[in-house]
Amino acid sequence: MFIIGYLTAKKDYIVIVKFGFPYAVVAGLSNGITNFLGLIIASMMDLSISSPTSMIIKNVLTFIIALLIFKEKMSYRKIAGLIVGMAAVLLITLRF
């Protein structure tokens, strides 16, 4: 996205570099860290446990980022949806 923005911005490329480059660096690093941690967890745990666990963690982190960084107002319905989703994943992964 950074490269496309830089190439398509004719005179405003300074603005693209000033505001887009830090975002591109943070997004790339966080994606790389996520993939690296996923590989580490996959090598240490069983896939049937690590996959649902990582999904729950990603959902919770997304919820926290939306709440703290983007200042999104969370209704009781959204909070209940997160909790029910987490419980559903946990119940599905349990072995009876």
Side-chain angles (χ1 to χ4, degrees):
M1 293 299 288
F2 173 73
I3 293 171
I4 291 171
Y6 182 76
L7 293 175
T8 57
K10 301 194 189 301
K11 296 179 183 176
D12 294 331
Y13 67 91
I14 299 294
V15 175
I16 298 294
V17 171
K18 183 178 178 182
F19 295 108
F21 186 72
Y23 175 74
V25 169
V26 170
L29 286 175
S30 64
N31 187 26
I33 290 170
T34 301
N35 292 338
F36 181 68
L37 291 175
L39 287 173
I40 290 173
I41 290 172
S43 67
M44 293 170 53
M45 295 175 70
D46 192 22
L47 185 62
S48 64
I49 296 171
S50 67
S51 179
T53 305
S54 67
M55 190 197 77
I56 290 173
I57 291 171
K58 287 177 186 177
N59 284 342
V60 170
L61 286 177
T62 303
F63 186 83
I64 291 171
I65 288 171
L67 191 66
L68 297 178
I69 295 175
F70 297 116
K71 308 288 186 212
E72 186 175 338
K73 302 292 183 197
M74 296 297 172
S75 65
Y76 291 117
R77 190 175 194 175
K78 290 179 184 178
I79 296 169
L82 177 69
I83 293 170
V84 168
M86 290 173 20
V89 170
L90 288 176
L91 289 174
I92 288 172
T93 58
L94 289 178
R95 296 179 186 170
F96 292 107

